[in-house]
Short mmCIF file of all heavy atoms in Angstrom, two decimals:
data_model
loop_
_atom_site.label_atom_id
_atom_site.label_comp_id
_atom_site.label_asym_id
_atom_site.label_seq_id
_atom_site.Cartn_x
_atom_site.Cartn_y
_atom_site.Cartn_z
N TRP A 36 0.08 1.59 -1.73
CA TRP A 36 0.89 0.39 -1.45
C TRP A 36 1.82 0.09 -2.59
O TRP A 36 1.43 0.19 -3.77
CB TRP A 36 -0.06 -0.79 -1.23
CG TRP A 36 -0.91 -0.66 -0.01
CD1 TRP A 36 -2.15 -0.12 0.07
CD2 TRP A 36 -0.54 -1.07 1.31
NE1 TRP A 36 -2.58 -0.16 1.36
CE2 TRP A 36 -1.64 -0.73 2.15
CE3 TRP A 36 0.58 -1.70 1.88
CZ2 TRP A 36 -1.61 -0.99 3.52
CZ3 TRP A 36 0.58 -1.97 3.21
CH2 TRP A 36 -0.50 -1.61 4.02
N TYR A 37 3.03 -0.27 -2.23
CA TYR A 37 4.04 -0.73 -3.19
C TYR A 37 4.49 -2.09 -2.67
O TYR A 37 4.26 -2.46 -1.52
CB TYR A 37 5.22 0.22 -3.24
CG TYR A 37 4.90 1.54 -3.94
CD1 TYR A 37 4.04 2.47 -3.37
CD2 TYR A 37 5.46 1.83 -5.16
CE1 TYR A 37 3.75 3.66 -4.00
CE2 TYR A 37 5.19 3.03 -5.81
CZ TYR A 37 4.34 3.94 -5.23
OH TYR A 37 4.06 5.11 -5.90
N ARG A 38 5.14 -2.83 -3.53
CA ARG A 38 5.68 -4.13 -3.12
C ARG A 38 7.02 -4.40 -3.77
O ARG A 38 7.33 -3.86 -4.82
CB ARG A 38 4.70 -5.27 -3.45
CG ARG A 38 4.49 -5.54 -4.93
CD ARG A 38 3.39 -6.57 -5.15
NE ARG A 38 3.18 -6.88 -6.55
CZ ARG A 38 2.20 -7.60 -7.03
NH1 ARG A 38 1.30 -8.13 -6.18
NH2 ARG A 38 2.07 -7.84 -8.32
N GLN A 39 7.78 -5.25 -3.06
CA GLN A 39 9.10 -5.60 -3.59
C GLN A 39 9.31 -7.10 -3.38
O GLN A 39 9.35 -7.55 -2.23
CB GLN A 39 10.19 -4.81 -2.94
CG GLN A 39 11.58 -5.03 -3.55
CD GLN A 39 12.55 -3.99 -3.09
OE1 GLN A 39 12.39 -3.29 -2.11
NE2 GLN A 39 13.67 -3.83 -3.85
N ALA A 40 9.45 -7.82 -4.47
CA ALA A 40 9.75 -9.24 -4.42
C ALA A 40 11.27 -9.44 -4.43
O ALA A 40 12.01 -8.57 -4.87
CB ALA A 40 9.09 -9.94 -5.60
N PRO A 41 11.74 -10.59 -3.92
CA PRO A 41 13.18 -10.84 -3.92
C PRO A 41 13.79 -10.68 -5.30
O PRO A 41 13.29 -11.24 -6.27
CB PRO A 41 13.27 -12.27 -3.41
CG PRO A 41 12.02 -12.45 -2.61
CD PRO A 41 10.97 -11.68 -3.32
N GLY A 42 14.87 -9.90 -5.38
CA GLY A 42 15.55 -9.75 -6.65
C GLY A 42 14.91 -8.80 -7.63
O GLY A 42 15.39 -8.66 -8.76
N LYS A 43 13.81 -8.16 -7.19
CA LYS A 43 13.10 -7.24 -8.11
C LYS A 43 13.03 -5.86 -7.52
O LYS A 43 13.22 -5.66 -6.33
CB LYS A 43 11.68 -7.78 -8.39
CG LYS A 43 11.65 -9.11 -9.16
CD LYS A 43 10.25 -9.47 -9.54
CE LYS A 43 10.21 -10.74 -10.35
NZ LYS A 43 8.82 -11.10 -10.75
N GLN A 44 12.72 -4.88 -8.36
CA GLN A 44 12.56 -3.53 -7.90
C GLN A 44 11.20 -3.35 -7.23
O GLN A 44 10.26 -4.06 -7.49
CB GLN A 44 12.72 -2.57 -9.10
CG GLN A 44 14.09 -2.47 -9.68
CD GLN A 44 14.25 -1.38 -10.71
OE1 GLN A 44 13.28 -1.02 -11.37
NE2 GLN A 44 15.44 -0.84 -10.82
N ARG A 45 11.16 -2.36 -6.38
CA ARG A 45 9.90 -2.00 -5.76
C ARG A 45 8.92 -1.48 -6.82
O ARG A 45 9.31 -0.70 -7.69
CB ARG A 45 10.08 -0.95 -4.70
CG ARG A 45 8.88 -0.71 -3.82
CD ARG A 45 9.20 0.22 -2.65
NE ARG A 45 10.21 -0.35 -1.76
CZ ARG A 45 10.55 0.21 -0.58
NH1 ARG A 45 9.94 1.31 -0.19
NH2 ARG A 45 11.46 -0.34 0.15
N GLU A 46 7.68 -1.95 -6.77
CA GLU A 46 6.69 -1.55 -7.77
C GLU A 46 5.39 -1.09 -7.14
O GLU A 46 5.03 -1.50 -6.04
CB GLU A 46 6.41 -2.74 -8.72
CG GLU A 46 5.77 -3.92 -8.07
CD GLU A 46 5.43 -5.06 -9.03
OE1 GLU A 46 5.78 -4.94 -10.24
OE2 GLU A 46 4.79 -6.02 -8.60
N LEU A 47 4.72 -0.25 -7.87
CA LEU A 47 3.43 0.27 -7.42
C LEU A 47 2.38 -0.87 -7.46
O LEU A 47 2.34 -1.66 -8.40
CB LEU A 47 2.96 1.43 -8.32
CG LEU A 47 1.62 2.03 -8.02
CD1 LEU A 47 1.68 3.55 -8.37
CD2 LEU A 47 0.51 1.41 -8.79
N VAL A 48 1.58 -0.91 -6.43
CA VAL A 48 0.45 -1.85 -6.39
C VAL A 48 -0.84 -1.06 -6.60
O VAL A 48 -1.62 -1.33 -7.51
CB VAL A 48 0.39 -2.62 -5.08
CG1 VAL A 48 -0.85 -3.50 -5.02
CG2 VAL A 48 1.66 -3.45 -4.84
N ALA A 49 -1.06 -0.07 -5.73
CA ALA A 49 -2.30 0.74 -5.81
C ALA A 49 -2.10 2.03 -5.04
O ALA A 49 -1.40 2.04 -4.03
CB ALA A 49 -3.50 -0.01 -5.29
N THR A 50 -2.73 3.08 -5.50
CA THR A 50 -2.70 4.36 -4.80
C THR A 50 -4.11 4.95 -4.76
O THR A 50 -4.98 4.57 -5.59
CB THR A 50 -1.76 5.37 -5.44
OG1 THR A 50 -2.22 5.61 -6.79
CG2 THR A 50 -0.33 4.88 -5.46
N ILE A 51 -4.34 5.83 -3.82
CA ILE A 51 -5.60 6.50 -3.71
C ILE A 51 -5.36 7.93 -3.23
O ILE A 51 -4.57 8.13 -2.31
CB ILE A 51 -6.55 5.74 -2.74
CG1 ILE A 51 -7.93 6.38 -2.70
CG2 ILE A 51 -5.96 5.58 -1.35
CD1 ILE A 51 -8.98 5.52 -2.01
N THR A 52 -6.01 8.90 -3.87
CA THR A 52 -5.83 10.30 -3.45
C THR A 52 -6.79 10.60 -2.31
O THR A 52 -7.68 9.81 -1.97
CB THR A 52 -6.15 11.24 -4.62
OG1 THR A 52 -7.56 11.17 -4.95
CG2 THR A 52 -5.33 10.88 -5.86
N ASN A 53 -6.61 11.77 -1.73
CA ASN A 53 -7.52 12.14 -0.63
C ASN A 53 -8.92 12.45 -1.16
O ASN A 53 -9.87 12.52 -0.38
CB ASN A 53 -6.98 13.33 0.18
CG ASN A 53 -6.63 14.52 -0.68
OD1 ASN A 53 -6.88 14.52 -1.89
ND2 ASN A 53 -6.01 15.53 -0.09
N GLY A 54 -9.08 12.53 -2.48
CA GLY A 54 -10.37 12.67 -3.07
C GLY A 54 -11.00 11.35 -3.49
O GLY A 54 -12.13 11.31 -3.98
N GLY A 55 -10.24 10.25 -3.29
CA GLY A 55 -10.76 8.93 -3.59
C GLY A 55 -10.47 8.35 -4.95
O GLY A 55 -10.91 7.29 -5.30
N ARG A 56 -9.65 9.09 -5.72
CA ARG A 56 -9.27 8.56 -7.03
C ARG A 56 -8.25 7.48 -6.88
O ARG A 56 -7.23 7.67 -6.20
CB ARG A 56 -8.75 9.68 -7.93
CG ARG A 56 -8.49 9.26 -9.37
CD ARG A 56 -8.20 10.44 -10.26
NE ARG A 56 -6.98 11.09 -9.88
CZ ARG A 56 -6.94 12.40 -9.57
NH1 ARG A 56 -8.02 13.15 -9.60
NH2 ARG A 56 -5.77 12.93 -9.27
N THR A 57 -8.48 6.34 -7.53
CA THR A 57 -7.59 5.19 -7.36
C THR A 57 -6.80 4.88 -8.63
O THR A 57 -7.20 5.25 -9.75
CB THR A 57 -8.41 3.94 -6.97
OG1 THR A 57 -9.39 3.66 -8.00
CG2 THR A 57 -9.11 4.13 -5.64
N ASN A 58 -5.72 4.19 -8.44
CA ASN A 58 -4.85 3.76 -9.53
C ASN A 58 -4.30 2.40 -9.13
O ASN A 58 -3.84 2.22 -8.01
CB ASN A 58 -3.72 4.76 -9.76
CG ASN A 58 -2.81 4.35 -10.90
OD1 ASN A 58 -3.27 3.96 -11.97
ND2 ASN A 58 -1.50 4.37 -10.68
N TYR A 59 -4.35 1.43 -10.08
CA TYR A 59 -3.91 0.09 -9.80
C TYR A 59 -2.90 -0.39 -10.84
O TYR A 59 -2.97 -0.03 -12.01
CB TYR A 59 -5.08 -0.90 -9.83
CG TYR A 59 -6.09 -0.72 -8.74
CD1 TYR A 59 -7.22 0.08 -8.94
CD2 TYR A 59 -5.95 -1.35 -7.51
CE1 TYR A 59 -8.17 0.25 -7.95
CE2 TYR A 59 -6.90 -1.19 -6.51
CZ TYR A 59 -8.00 -0.39 -6.74
OH TYR A 59 -8.95 -0.22 -5.75
N ALA A 60 -1.99 -1.21 -10.39
CA ALA A 60 -1.14 -1.93 -11.33
C ALA A 60 -1.99 -2.88 -12.13
O ALA A 60 -2.97 -3.46 -11.61
CB ALA A 60 -0.03 -2.67 -10.60
N ASP A 61 -1.67 -3.09 -13.40
CA ASP A 61 -2.45 -3.97 -14.23
C ASP A 61 -2.52 -5.40 -13.64
O ASP A 61 -3.54 -6.08 -13.77
CB ASP A 61 -1.85 -4.06 -15.64
CG ASP A 61 -2.09 -2.80 -16.44
OD1 ASP A 61 -2.97 -1.97 -16.05
OD2 ASP A 61 -1.37 -2.59 -17.45
N SER A 62 -1.46 -5.79 -13.00
CA SER A 62 -1.37 -7.15 -12.45
C SER A 62 -2.35 -7.41 -11.33
O SER A 62 -2.61 -8.60 -10.98
CB SER A 62 0.04 -7.46 -12.01
OG SER A 62 0.44 -6.58 -11.00
N VAL A 63 -2.91 -6.38 -10.70
CA VAL A 63 -3.76 -6.56 -9.54
C VAL A 63 -5.21 -6.09 -9.82
O VAL A 63 -6.07 -6.25 -8.98
CB VAL A 63 -3.24 -5.91 -8.29
CG1 VAL A 63 -1.79 -6.38 -8.00
CG2 VAL A 63 -3.31 -4.38 -8.37
N LYS A 64 -5.44 -5.49 -10.97
CA LYS A 64 -6.77 -4.95 -11.25
C LYS A 64 -7.78 -6.07 -11.21
O LYS A 64 -7.57 -7.16 -11.76
CB LYS A 64 -6.78 -4.27 -12.64
CG LYS A 64 -6.14 -2.92 -12.66
CD LYS A 64 -6.18 -2.31 -14.09
CE LYS A 64 -5.56 -0.93 -14.09
NZ LYS A 64 -5.52 -0.37 -15.48
N GLY A 65 -8.91 -5.80 -10.58
CA GLY A 65 -9.98 -6.78 -10.46
C GLY A 65 -9.80 -7.72 -9.28
O GLY A 65 -10.74 -8.46 -8.94
#
Side-chain angles (χ1 to χ4, degrees):
W36 294 91
Y37 288 69
R38 67 187 181 188
Q39 187 167 18
K43 295 187 177 181
Q44 291 188 331
R45 190 172 298 188
E46 63 177 5
L47 178 147
V48 176
T50 60
I51 184 168
T52 68
N53 54 6
R56 187 169 64 236
T57 59
N58 179 47
Y59 294 92
D61 288 342
S62 60
V63 307
K64 283 180 180 177

